[in-house]
PDB file of all heavy atoms in Angstrom:
ATOM      1  N   ASP O 441      83.859  70.507 118.722  1.00  0.00           N
ATOM      2  CA  ASP O 441      83.889  71.546 117.685  1.00  0.00           C
ATOM      3  C   ASP O 441      82.783  72.551 117.899  1.00  0.00           C
ATOM      4  O   ASP O 441      81.716  72.372 117.773  1.00  0.00           O
ATOM      5  CB  ASP O 441      83.554  70.756 116.203  1.00  0.00           C
ATOM      6  CG  ASP O 441      83.312  71.902 115.156  1.00  0.00           C
ATOM      7  OD1 ASP O 441      83.831  73.021 115.237  1.00  0.00           O
ATOM      8  OD2 ASP O 441      82.690  71.469 114.066  1.00  0.00           O
ATOM      9  N   TYR O 442      83.192  73.742 118.392  1.00  0.00           N
ATOM     10  CA  TYR O 442      82.356  74.862 118.676  1.00  0.00           C
ATOM     11  C   TYR O 442      82.478  75.958 117.627  1.00  0.00           C
ATOM     12  O   TYR O 442      81.702  76.936 117.613  1.00  0.00           O
ATOM     13  CB  TYR O 442      82.832  75.473 119.993  1.00  0.00           C
ATOM     14  CG  TYR O 442      82.818  74.576 121.160  1.00  0.00           C
ATOM     15  CD1 TYR O 442      83.817  74.394 122.124  1.00  0.00           C
ATOM     16  CD2 TYR O 442      81.496  73.733 121.347  1.00  0.00           C
ATOM     17  CE1 TYR O 442      83.779  73.584 123.109  1.00  0.00           C
ATOM     18  CE2 TYR O 442      81.577  72.960 122.485  1.00  0.00           C
ATOM     19  CZ  TYR O 442      82.721  72.791 123.339  1.00  0.00           C
ATOM     20  OH  TYR O 442      82.679  72.012 124.478  1.00  0.00           O
ATOM     21  N   THR O 443      83.386  75.984 116.564  1.00  0.00           N
ATOM     22  CA  THR O 443      83.625  76.906 115.732  1.00  0.00           C
ATOM     23  C   THR O 443      82.370  77.383 114.941  1.00  0.00           C
ATOM     24  O   THR O 443      82.009  78.480 114.813  1.00  0.00           O
ATOM     25  CB  THR O 443      84.784  76.582 114.763  1.00  0.00           C
ATOM     26  OG1 THR O 443      85.897  76.160 115.473  1.00  0.00           O
ATOM     27  CG2 THR O 443      85.177  77.709 113.871  1.00  0.00           C
ATOM     28  N   THR O 444      81.681  76.366 114.407  1.00  0.00           N
ATOM     29  CA  THR O 444      80.544  76.765 113.641  1.00  0.00           C
ATOM     30  C   THR O 444      79.424  77.249 114.424  1.00  0.00           C
ATOM     31  O   THR O 444      78.964  78.349 114.016  1.00  0.00           O
ATOM     32  CB  THR O 444      79.908  75.427 113.030  1.00  0.00           C
ATOM     33  OG1 THR O 444      80.921  74.745 112.206  1.00  0.00           O
ATOM     34  CG2 THR O 444      78.794  75.829 112.030  1.00  0.00           C
ATOM     35  N   GLU O 445      79.216  76.907 115.589  1.00  0.00           N
ATOM     36  CA  GLU O 445      78.225  77.549 116.476  1.00  0.00           C
ATOM     37  C   GLU O 445      78.718  78.914 116.897  1.00  0.00           C
ATOM     38  O   GLU O 445      77.869  79.755 116.883  1.00  0.00           O
ATOM     39  CB  GLU O 445      78.077  76.702 117.753  1.00  0.00           C
ATOM     40  CG  GLU O 445      77.528  75.271 117.582  1.00  0.00           C
ATOM     41  CD  GLU O 445      77.457  74.483 118.921  1.00  0.00           C
ATOM     42  OE1 GLU O 445      76.937  75.050 119.918  1.00  0.00           O
ATOM     43  OE2 GLU O 445      77.974  73.459 118.920  1.00  0.00           O
ATOM     44  N   VAL O 446      79.890  79.095 117.172  1.00  0.00           N
ATOM     45  CA  VAL O 446      80.410  80.343 117.477  1.00  0.00           C
ATOM     46  C   VAL O 446      80.280  81.408 116.430  1.00  0.00           C
ATOM     47  O   VAL O 446      79.847  82.482 116.551  1.00  0.00           O
ATOM     48  CB  VAL O 446      81.919  80.418 118.069  1.00  0.00           C
ATOM     49  CG1 VAL O 446      82.496  81.863 118.076  1.00  0.00           C
ATOM     50  CG2 VAL O 446      82.027  79.665 119.399  1.00  0.00           C
ATOM     51  N   ILE O 447      80.554  80.954 115.160  1.00  0.00           N
ATOM     52  CA  ILE O 447      80.417  81.748 114.027  1.00  0.00           C
ATOM     53  C   ILE O 447      79.006  82.137 113.838  1.00  0.00           C
ATOM     54  O   ILE O 447      78.693  83.265 113.460  1.00  0.00           O
ATOM     55  CB  ILE O 447      81.040  81.188 112.726  1.00  0.00           C
ATOM     56  CG1 ILE O 447      82.568  81.038 112.868  1.00  0.00           C
ATOM     57  CG2 ILE O 447      80.814  81.991 111.521  1.00  0.00           C
ATOM     58  CD1 ILE O 447      83.291  80.210 111.896  1.00  0.00           C
ATOM     59  N   GLN O 448      78.166  81.141 113.845  1.00  0.00           N
ATOM     60  CA  GLN O 448      76.720  81.350 113.615  1.00  0.00           C
ATOM     61  C   GLN O 448      76.195  82.474 114.648  1.00  0.00           C
ATOM     62  O   GLN O 448      75.283  83.227 114.376  1.00  0.00           O
ATOM     63  CB  GLN O 448      75.951  80.132 113.721  1.00  0.00           C
ATOM     64  CG  GLN O 448      76.148  79.050 112.568  1.00  0.00           C
ATOM     65  CD  GLN O 448      75.631  79.710 111.292  1.00  0.00           C
ATOM     66  OE1 GLN O 448      76.423  79.764 110.406  1.00  0.00           O
ATOM     67  NE2 GLN O 448      74.420  80.019 111.222  1.00  0.00           N
ATOM     68  N   SER O 449      76.751  82.513 115.882  1.00  0.00           N
ATOM     69  CA  SER O 449      76.337  83.356 116.956  1.00  0.00           C
ATOM     70  C   SER O 449      76.796  84.724 116.655  1.00  0.00           C
ATOM     71  O   SER O 449      76.167  85.726 117.375  1.00  0.00           O
ATOM     72  CB  SER O 449      76.831  82.947 118.309  1.00  0.00           C
ATOM     73  OG  SER O 449      78.164  83.291 118.394  1.00  0.00           O
ATOM     74  N   LEU O 450      77.653  85.003 115.631  1.00  0.00           N
ATOM     75  CA  LEU O 450      78.163  86.347 115.527  1.00  0.00           C
ATOM     76  C   LEU O 450      77.133  87.272 114.604  1.00  0.00           C
ATOM     77  O   LEU O 450      77.255  88.416 114.743  1.00  0.00           O
ATOM     78  CB  LEU O 450      79.560  86.307 114.827  1.00  0.00           C
ATOM     79  CG  LEU O 450      80.704  85.778 115.718  1.00  0.00           C
ATOM     80  CD1 LEU O 450      81.965  85.524 114.909  1.00  0.00           C
ATOM     81  CD2 LEU O 450      80.904  86.569 116.800  1.00  0.00           C
ATOM     82  N   GLY O 451      76.434  86.623 113.885  1.00  0.00           N
ATOM     83  CA  GLY O 451      75.498  87.391 113.147  1.00  0.00           C
ATOM     84  C   GLY O 451      75.066  86.597 111.731  1.00  0.00           C
ATOM     85  O   GLY O 451      75.616  85.592 111.345  1.00  0.00           O
ATOM     86  N   ASP O 452      74.099  87.076 111.097  1.00  0.00           N
ATOM     87  CA  ASP O 452      73.554  86.559 109.905  1.00  0.00           C
ATOM     88  C   ASP O 452      74.293  87.114 108.604  1.00  0.00           C
ATOM     89  O   ASP O 452      74.818  88.169 108.649  1.00  0.00           O
ATOM     90  CB  ASP O 452      72.064  86.883 109.825  1.00  0.00           C
ATOM     91  CG  ASP O 452      71.272  86.189 110.830  1.00  0.00           C
ATOM     92  OD1 ASP O 452      71.720  85.158 111.343  1.00  0.00           O
ATOM     93  OD2 ASP O 452      70.277  86.805 111.311  1.00  0.00           O
ATOM     94  N   PRO O 453      74.234  86.382 107.464  1.00  0.00           N
ATOM     95  CA  PRO O 453      73.706  85.021 107.294  1.00  0.00           C
ATOM     96  C   PRO O 453      74.373  83.797 107.778  1.00  0.00           C
ATOM     97  O   PRO O 453      73.932  82.791 107.776  1.00  0.00           O
ATOM     98  CB  PRO O 453      73.557  85.063 105.714  1.00  0.00           C
ATOM     99  CG  PRO O 453      74.744  85.783 105.286  1.00  0.00           C
ATOM    100  CD  PRO O 453      74.875  86.931 106.251  1.00  0.00           C
ATOM    101  N   GLY O 454      75.633  84.061 108.152  1.00  0.00           N
ATOM    102  CA  GLY O 454      76.445  82.851 108.717  1.00  0.00           C
ATOM    103  C   GLY O 454      77.216  82.162 107.803  1.00  0.00           C
ATOM    104  O   GLY O 454      77.595  82.717 106.654  1.00  0.00           O
ATOM    105  N   VAL O 455      77.331  80.860 108.029  1.00  0.00           N
ATOM    106  CA  VAL O 455      78.218  80.135 107.289  1.00  0.00           C
ATOM    107  C   VAL O 455      77.701  79.888 105.966  1.00  0.00           C
ATOM    108  O   VAL O 455      76.508  79.460 105.636  1.00  0.00           O
ATOM    109  CB  VAL O 455      78.457  78.717 107.864  1.00  0.00           C
ATOM    110  CG1 VAL O 455      79.167  77.780 106.986  1.00  0.00           C
ATOM    111  CG2 VAL O 455      79.217  78.933 109.256  1.00  0.00           C
ATOM    112  N   PHE O 456      78.477  80.036 104.844  1.00  0.00           N
ATOM    113  CA  PHE O 456      78.185  79.625 103.427  1.00  0.00           C
ATOM    114  C   PHE O 456      79.122  78.636 102.830  1.00  0.00           C
ATOM    115  O   PHE O 456      78.746  78.054 101.759  1.00  0.00           O
ATOM    116  CB  PHE O 456      78.179  80.942 102.600  1.00  0.00           C
ATOM    117  CG  PHE O 456      79.399  81.682 102.400  1.00  0.00           C
ATOM    118  CD1 PHE O 456      80.326  81.271 101.458  1.00  0.00           C
ATOM    119  CD2 PHE O 456      79.709  82.783 103.076  1.00  0.00           C
ATOM    120  CE1 PHE O 456      81.596  82.006 101.281  1.00  0.00           C
ATOM    121  CE2 PHE O 456      80.851  83.501 103.055  1.00  0.00           C
ATOM    122  CZ  PHE O 456      81.851  83.104 102.114  1.00  0.00           C
ATOM    123  N   VAL O 457      80.325  78.333 103.522  1.00  0.00           N
ATOM    124  CA  VAL O 457      80.939  77.284 103.092  1.00  0.00           C
ATOM    125  C   VAL O 457      81.550  76.559 104.341  1.00  0.00           C
ATOM    126  O   VAL O 457      82.175  77.110 105.261  1.00  0.00           O
ATOM    127  CB  VAL O 457      82.282  77.620 102.334  1.00  0.00           C
ATOM    128  CG1 VAL O 457      83.264  76.417 102.058  1.00  0.00           C
ATOM    129  CG2 VAL O 457      81.794  78.174 100.914  1.00  0.00           C
ATOM    130  N   HIS O 458      81.213  75.145 104.431  1.00  0.00           N
ATOM    131  CA  HIS O 458      81.732  74.324 105.542  1.00  0.00           C
ATOM    132  C   HIS O 458      82.343  73.039 104.810  1.00  0.00           C
ATOM    133  O   HIS O 458      81.631  72.072 104.779  1.00  0.00           O
ATOM    134  CB  HIS O 458      80.602  73.952 106.530  1.00  0.00           C
ATOM    135  CG  HIS O 458      81.290  73.421 107.639  1.00  0.00           C
ATOM    136  ND1 HIS O 458      80.423  73.100 108.772  1.00  0.00           N
ATOM    137  CD2 HIS O 458      82.455  73.059 108.155  1.00  0.00           C
ATOM    138  CE1 HIS O 458      81.135  72.511 109.838  1.00  0.00           C
ATOM    139  NE2 HIS O 458      82.389  72.555 109.336  1.00  0.00           N
ATOM    140  N   GLY O 459      83.507  73.115 104.450  1.00  0.00           N
ATOM    141  CA  GLY O 459      84.157  72.085 103.724  1.00  0.00           C
ATOM    142  C   GLY O 459      84.463  72.361 102.279  1.00  0.00           C
ATOM    143  O   GLY O 459      83.480  72.940 101.496  1.00  0.00           O
ATOM    144  N   ILE O 460      85.829  72.307 101.912  1.00  0.00           N
ATOM    145  CA  ILE O 460      86.088  72.559 100.470  1.00  0.00           C
ATOM    146  C   ILE O 460      86.816  71.320  99.970  1.00  0.00           C
ATOM    147  O   ILE O 460      87.586  70.664 100.627  1.00  0.00           O
ATOM    148  CB  ILE O 460      87.107  73.804 100.403  1.00  0.00           C
ATOM    149  CG1 ILE O 460      86.454  75.016 100.959  1.00  0.00           C
ATOM    150  CG2 ILE O 460      87.418  73.967  98.899  1.00  0.00           C
ATOM    151  CD1 ILE O 460      87.481  76.129 101.110  1.00  0.00           C
ATOM    152  N   SER O 461      86.400  70.892  98.691  1.00  0.00           N
ATOM    153  CA  SER O 461      87.043  69.717  98.073  1.00  0.00           C
ATOM    154  C   SER O 461      88.520  69.951  97.694  1.00  0.00           C
ATOM    155  O   SER O 461      88.814  70.056  96.519  1.00  0.00           O
ATOM    156  CB  SER O 461      86.236  69.236  96.930  1.00  0.00           C
ATOM    157  OG  SER O 461      85.972  70.218  96.038  1.00  0.00           O
ATOM    158  N   ILE O 462      89.348  70.102  98.602  1.00  0.00           N
ATOM    159  CA  ILE O 462      90.701  70.396  98.420  1.00  0.00           C
ATOM    160  C   ILE O 462      91.568  69.628  99.353  1.00  0.00           C
ATOM    161  O   ILE O 462      91.122  69.236 100.570  1.00  0.00           O
ATOM    162  CB  ILE O 462      90.989  71.857  98.508  1.00  0.00           C
ATOM    163  CG1 ILE O 462      92.431  72.202  98.187  1.00  0.00           C
ATOM    164  CG2 ILE O 462      90.576  72.291  99.934  1.00  0.00           C
ATOM    165  CD1 ILE O 462      92.614  73.671  98.173  1.00  0.00           C
ATOM    166  N   LYS O 463      92.784  69.091  99.070  1.00  0.00           N
ATOM    167  CA  LYS O 463      93.819  68.543  99.906  1.00  0.00           C
ATOM    168  C   LYS O 463      95.083  69.223  99.821  1.00  0.00           C
ATOM    169  O   LYS O 463      95.557  69.266  98.694  1.00  0.00           O
ATOM    170  CB  LYS O 463      93.765  67.052  99.591  1.00  0.00           C
ATOM    171  CG  LYS O 463      94.731  66.238 100.471  1.00  0.00           C
ATOM    172  CD  LYS O 463      94.774  64.780 100.119  1.00  0.00           C
ATOM    173  CE  LYS O 463      95.608  64.030 101.082  1.00  0.00           C
ATOM    174  NZ  LYS O 463      95.697  62.485 100.684  1.00  0.00           N
ATOM    175  N   PRO O 464      95.618  69.679 100.994  1.00  0.00           N
ATOM    176  CA  PRO O 464      95.082  69.636 102.305  1.00  0.00           C
ATOM    177  C   PRO O 464      94.074  70.836 102.493  1.00  0.00           C
ATOM    178  O   PRO O 464      94.114  71.802 101.801  1.00  0.00           O
ATOM    179  CB  PRO O 464      96.245  69.777 103.180  1.00  0.00           C
ATOM    180  CG  PRO O 464      97.209  70.633 102.431  1.00  0.00           C
ATOM    181  CD  PRO O 464      96.909  70.254 100.955  1.00  0.00           C
ATOM    182  N   GLY O 465      93.235  70.702 103.533  1.00  0.00           N
ATOM    183  CA  GLY O 465      92.437  71.926 103.948  1.00  0.00           C
ATOM    184  C   GLY O 465      90.919  71.724 103.761  1.00  0.00           C
ATOM    185  O   GLY O 465      90.162  72.560 103.847  1.00  0.00           O
ATOM    186  N   LYS O 466      90.496  70.426 103.669  1.00  0.00           N
ATOM    187  CA  LYS O 466      89.008  70.238 103.413  1.00  0.00           C
ATOM    188  C   LYS O 466      88.097  70.873 104.550  1.00  0.00           C
ATOM    189  O   LYS O 466      87.185  71.528 104.292  1.00  0.00           O
ATOM    190  CB  LYS O 466      88.559  68.747 103.350  1.00  0.00           C
ATOM    191  CG  LYS O 466      87.207  68.351 103.209  1.00  0.00           C
ATOM    192  CD  LYS O 466      86.971  66.952 102.992  1.00  0.00           C
ATOM    193  CE  LYS O 466      85.438  66.564 102.837  1.00  0.00           C
ATOM    194  NZ  LYS O 466      85.145  65.159 102.643  1.00  0.00           N
ATOM    195  N   PRO O 467      88.419  70.605 105.967  1.00  0.00           N
ATOM    196  CA  PRO O 467      87.703  71.236 107.002  1.00  0.00           C
ATOM    197  C   PRO O 467      87.762  72.790 107.031  1.00  0.00           C
ATOM    198  O   PRO O 467      88.432  73.245 108.092  1.00  0.00           O
ATOM    199  CB  PRO O 467      88.023  70.486 108.122  1.00  0.00           C
ATOM    200  CG  PRO O 467      89.547  70.183 107.927  1.00  0.00           C
ATOM    201  CD  PRO O 467      89.581  69.787 106.560  1.00  0.00           C
ATOM    202  N   THR O 468      87.244  73.563 106.184  1.00  0.00           N
ATOM    203  CA  THR O 468      87.479  75.036 106.181  1.00  0.00           C
ATOM    204  C   THR O 468      86.122  75.678 106.241  1.00  0.00           C
ATOM    205  O   THR O 468      85.109  75.156 105.675  1.00  0.00           O
ATOM    206  CB  THR O 468      88.128  75.429 104.932  1.00  0.00           C
ATOM    207  OG1 THR O 468      89.454  74.883 104.966  1.00  0.00           O
ATOM    208  CG2 THR O 468      88.207  76.899 104.901  1.00  0.00           C
ATOM    209  N   ILE O 469      85.931  76.637 107.071  1.00  0.00           N
ATOM    210  CA  ILE O 469      84.666  77.336 107.230  1.00  0.00           C
ATOM    211  C   ILE O 469      84.860  78.836 106.506  1.00  0.00           C
ATOM    212  O   ILE O 469      85.750  79.558 106.941  1.00  0.00           O
ATOM    213  CB  ILE O 469      84.292  77.383 108.700  1.00  0.00           C
ATOM    214  CG1 ILE O 469      84.057  75.959 109.062  1.00  0.00           C
ATOM    215  CG2 ILE O 469      82.932  78.228 108.749  1.00  0.00           C
ATOM    216  CD1 ILE O 469      83.787  75.996 110.652  1.00  0.00           C
ATOM    217  N   LEU O 470      83.864  79.212 105.923  1.00  0.00           N
ATOM    218  CA  LEU O 470      83.837  80.558 105.460  1.00  0.00           C
ATOM    219  C   LEU O 470      82.303  81.138 105.774  1.00  0.00           C
ATOM    220  O   LEU O 470      81.410  80.503 105.540  1.00  0.00           O
ATOM    221  CB  LEU O 470      84.002  80.826 103.961  1.00  0.00           C
ATOM    222  CG  LEU O 470      85.467  80.362 103.471  1.00  0.00           C
ATOM    223  CD1 LEU O 470      85.568  80.320 102.002  1.00  0.00           C
ATOM    224  CD2 LEU O 470      86.465  81.240 104.115  1.00  0.00           C
ATOM    225  N   ALA O 471      82.311  82.384 106.371  1.00  0.00           N
ATOM    226  CA  ALA O 471      81.008  82.850 106.757  1.00  0.00           C
ATOM    227  C   ALA O 471      81.067  84.419 106.582  1.00  0.00           C
ATOM    228  O   ALA O 471      82.103  85.069 106.516  1.00  0.00           O
ATOM    229  CB  ALA O 471      80.630  82.517 108.105  1.00  0.00           C
ATOM    230  N   VAL O 472      79.826  84.949 106.649  1.00  0.00           N
ATOM    231  CA  VAL O 472      79.611  86.375 106.695  1.00  0.00           C
ATOM    232  C   VAL O 472      78.726  86.708 107.855  1.00  0.00           C
ATOM    233  O   VAL O 472      77.620  86.069 107.941  1.00  0.00           O
ATOM    234  CB  VAL O 472      79.024  86.953 105.385  1.00  0.00           C
ATOM    235  CG1 VAL O 472      78.670  88.477 105.577  1.00  0.00           C
ATOM    236  CG2 VAL O 472      80.038  86.911 104.183  1.00  0.00           C
ATOM    237  N   ALA O 473      79.214  87.434 108.818  1.00  0.00           N
ATOM    238  CA  ALA O 473      78.354  87.801 110.018  1.00  0.00           C
ATOM    239  C   ALA O 473      78.019  89.243 110.036  1.00  0.00           C
ATOM    240  O   ALA O 473      79.026  90.089 110.254  1.00  0.00           O
ATOM    241  CB  ALA O 473      79.047  87.404 111.284  1.00  0.00           C
ATOM    242  N   ASP O 474      76.774  89.615 109.687  1.00  0.00           N
ATOM    243  CA  ASP O 474      76.550  91.037 109.638  1.00  0.00           C
ATOM    244  C   ASP O 474      77.381  91.848 108.845  1.00  0.00           C
ATOM    245  O   ASP O 474      77.840  92.989 109.172  1.00  0.00           O
ATOM    246  CB  ASP O 474      76.432  91.680 111.074  1.00  0.00           C
ATOM    247  CG  ASP O 474      75.171  91.079 111.902  1.00  0.00           C
ATOM    248  OD1 ASP O 474      74.198  90.563 111.214  1.00  0.00           O
ATOM    249  OD2 ASP O 474      75.178  91.069 113.066  1.00  0.00           O
ATOM    250  N   GLY O 475      77.852  91.343 107.620  1.00  0.00           N
ATOM    251  CA  GLY O 475      78.610  92.098 106.639  1.00  0.00           C
ATOM    252  C   GLY O 475      80.247  91.828 106.832  1.00  0.00           C
ATOM    253  O   GLY O 475      80.846  92.145 105.935  1.00  0.00           O
ATOM    254  N   LYS O 476      80.563  91.215 108.024  1.00  0.00           N
ATOM    255  CA  LYS O 476      81.932  90.953 108.135  1.00  0.00           C
ATOM    256  C   LYS O 476      82.311  89.483 107.904  1.00  0.00           C
ATOM    257  O   LYS O 476      81.606  88.455 108.345  1.00  0.00           O
ATOM    258  CB  LYS O 476      82.393  91.246 109.584  1.00  0.00           C
ATOM    259  CG  LYS O 476      82.470  92.652 110.002  1.00  0.00           C
ATOM    260  CD  LYS O 476      82.978  92.823 111.456  1.00  0.00           C
ATOM    261  CE  LYS O 476      82.933  94.342 111.840  1.00  0.00           C
ATOM    262  NZ  LYS O 476      83.430  94.463 113.198  1.00  0.00           N
ATOM    263  N   PRO O 477      83.360  89.280 106.928  1.00  0.00           N
ATOM    264  CA  PRO O 477      83.684  87.858 106.823  1.00  0.00           C
ATOM    265  C   PRO O 477      84.317  87.216 108.117  1.00  0.00           C
ATOM    266  O   PRO O 477      85.176  87.794 108.735  1.00  0.00           O
ATOM    267  CB  PRO O 477      84.663  87.973 105.671  1.00  0.00           C
ATOM    268  CG  PRO O 477      85.237  89.359 105.686  1.00  0.00           C
ATOM    269  CD  PRO O 477      84.147  90.175 106.376  1.00  0.00           C
ATOM    270  N   VAL O 478      84.252  85.888 108.163  1.00  0.00           N
ATOM    271  CA  VAL O 478      84.812  85.131 109.165  1.00  0.00           C
ATOM    272  C   VAL O 478      85.407  83.874 108.552  1.00  0.00           C
ATOM    273  O   VAL O 478      84.814  83.278 107.669  1.00  0.00           O
ATOM    274  CB  VAL O 478      83.812  84.737 110.367  1.00  0.00           C
ATOM    275  CG1 VAL O 478      84.511  83.857 111.352  1.00  0.00           C
ATOM    276  CG2 VAL O 478      83.118  85.866 110.875  1.00  0.00           C
ATOM    277  N   ILE O 479      86.645  83.566 108.878  1.00  0.00           N
ATOM    278  CA  ILE O 479      87.323  82.404 108.270  1.00  0.00           C
ATOM    279  C   ILE O 479      87.754  81.528 109.412  1.00  0.00           C
ATOM    280  O   ILE O 479      88.449  81.779 110.340  1.00  0.00           O
ATOM    281  CB  ILE O 479      88.508  83.008 107.459  1.00  0.00           C
ATOM    282  CG1 ILE O 479      88.334  84.071 106.415  1.00  0.00           C
ATOM    283  CG2 ILE O 479      89.400  81.670 106.823  1.00  0.00           C
ATOM    284  CD1 ILE O 479      89.515  84.604 105.919  1.00  0.00           C
ATOM    285  N   GLY O 480      87.256  80.195 109.140  1.00  0.00           N
ATOM    286  CA  GLY O 480      87.618  79.061 110.064  1.00  0.00           C
ATOM    287  C   GLY O 480      88.548  78.276 109.396  1.00  0.00           C
ATOM    288  O   GLY O 480      88.296  77.491 108.454  1.00  0.00           O
ATOM    289  N   LEU O 481      89.937  78.394 109.926  1.00  0.00           N
ATOM    290  CA  LEU O 481      91.000  77.569 109.261  1.00  0.00           C
ATOM    291  C   LEU O 481      91.068  76.166 110.004  1.00  0.00           C
ATOM    292  O   LEU O 481      90.908  76.030 111.162  1.00  0.00           O
ATOM    293  CB  LEU O 481      92.219  78.284 109.380  1.00  0.00           C
ATOM    294  CG  LEU O 481      92.276  79.665 108.595  1.00  0.00           C
ATOM    295  CD1 LEU O 481      93.721  80.394 109.029  1.00  0.00           C
ATOM    296  CD2 LEU O 481      92.235  79.395 107.113  1.00  0.00           C
TER     297      LEU O 481
END
């Protein structure tokens, strides 16, 4: 799993959601890197 590391490397503040209590789809990543949103599906 490199996704989180890659997203963190794009800019700050980085990941603000890593996992959502939902089925299906718990392993979901949401982040903001230097103002741009990043979605890890």
